[in-house]
Amino acid sequence: MPTSPGGVRVERVVTSGVFELDGGAWDVDNNVWLLGDDDAVLVVDAAHDARAILDAVGGRRVAGIVCTHGHNDHVNAVSDLIAETGATAWLHPDDRVLWDQSQDEAPGGDLADGQVFTVGDVEATVLHTPGHAPGACCLHVPALGVLFSGDTLFAGGPGATGRSYSDFPTIVDSIRTRLLTLPSATVVLTGHGDPTSIGDEAPHLQEWLDRGH
């Protein structure tokens, strides 16, 4: 992963737990991403294991917790992180319908399209990319050439749209208009599994449309 002149870098923590929705439960591994330098970090998706995340953060200040969407497997460590760090959790308001299924307290801040988080000498811009969930968001960090895609885009195609509050035409439109327009070298740091790139995924748009997922 690239590092900015000011030392901002990306770190990954993989945590494991259970994703629950529509009466089903699935064992999942989640990527928790840390964007920061030696002083402060932004946590992208607080999944499953607050202690593992805090161990990776070390003595640094948590500048915020960005929730790419409200599915329980991406937010179920939020309350413990807040209790330990006092950081604000950010969620797009359209995803409160999902957040409220697993969380007792409201998030501390509302994500908005175009909102910018500054971490050290880099900026991370919020892109509202509904489809997997109505309030799903990605974070684009041009200075590092990376995109935190949550569950919107993976190696091999769009995130799942077969459950409540998801929609395939909507996610395809989000990917086509908001993500595939980014530089092809942009590294896509996904909510689960291995990274990919915009250049690797863009040629397959028609295949996704043909298969319908």
Side-chain angles (χ1 to χ4, degrees):
M1 290 294 174
T3 301
S4 76
V8 175
R9 57 197 179 271
V10 174
E11 300 159 65
R12 176 165 70 169
V13 181
V14 179
T15 61
S16 301
V18 178
F19 167 47
E20 297 178 299
L21 187 66
D22 296 339
W26 301 265
D27 293 329
V28 289
D29 296 328
N30 284 61
N31 293 325
V32 179
W33 299 102
L34 307 181
L35 174 69
D37 54 20
D38 290 339
D39 298 317
V41 295
L42 192 69
V43 175
V44 181
D45 285 340
H48 306 304
D49 188 343
R51 178 46 52 194
I53 299 168
L54 289 166
D55 286 347
V57 169
R60 295 175 289 180
R61 178 177 63 88
V62 176
I65 305 163
V66 174
C67 306
T68 61
H69 60 294
H71 284 150
N72 77 292
D73 61 316
H74 289 256
V75 303
N76 54 10
V78 166
S79 60
D80 287 342
L81 272 187
I82 293 173
E84 290 283 344
T85 66
T88 297
W90 297 83
L91 178 83
H92 194 284
D94 288 354
D95 249 32
R96 279 297 300 273
V97 66
L98 291 166
W99 169 281
D100 290 343
Q101 293 182 13
S102 67
Q103 302 301 300
D104 295 327
E105 302 293 333
D110 288 341
L111 288 179
D113 188 62
Q115 180 178 357
V116 175
F117 291 90
T118 301
V119 184
D121 61 344
V122 307
E123 293 184 341
T125 301
V126 176
L127 306 177
H128 182 211
T129 53
H132 179 70
C137 290
C138 300
L139 270 184
H140 181 218
V141 189
L144 297 182
V146 301
L147 174 81
F148 300 100
S149 67
D151 285 2
T152 294
L153 180 63
F154 291 99
T161 53
R163 303 187 181 101
S164 294
Y165 308 108
S166 64
D167 183 73
F168 179 70
T170 301
I171 199 172
V172 167
D173 186 62
S174 291
I175 293 170
R176 179 173 48 223
T177 62
R178 306 305 308 276
L179 303 187
L180 299 187
T181 55
L182 299 175
S184 63
T186 302
V187 177
V188 180
L189 304 176
T190 57
H192 308 270
D194 295 329
T196 182
S197 72
I198 294 298
D200 285 342
E201 300 308 317
H204 302 289
L205 176 62
Q206 189 58 50
E207 296 173 27
W208 309 335
L209 290 169
D210 292 342
R211 76 189 188 197
H213 62 85

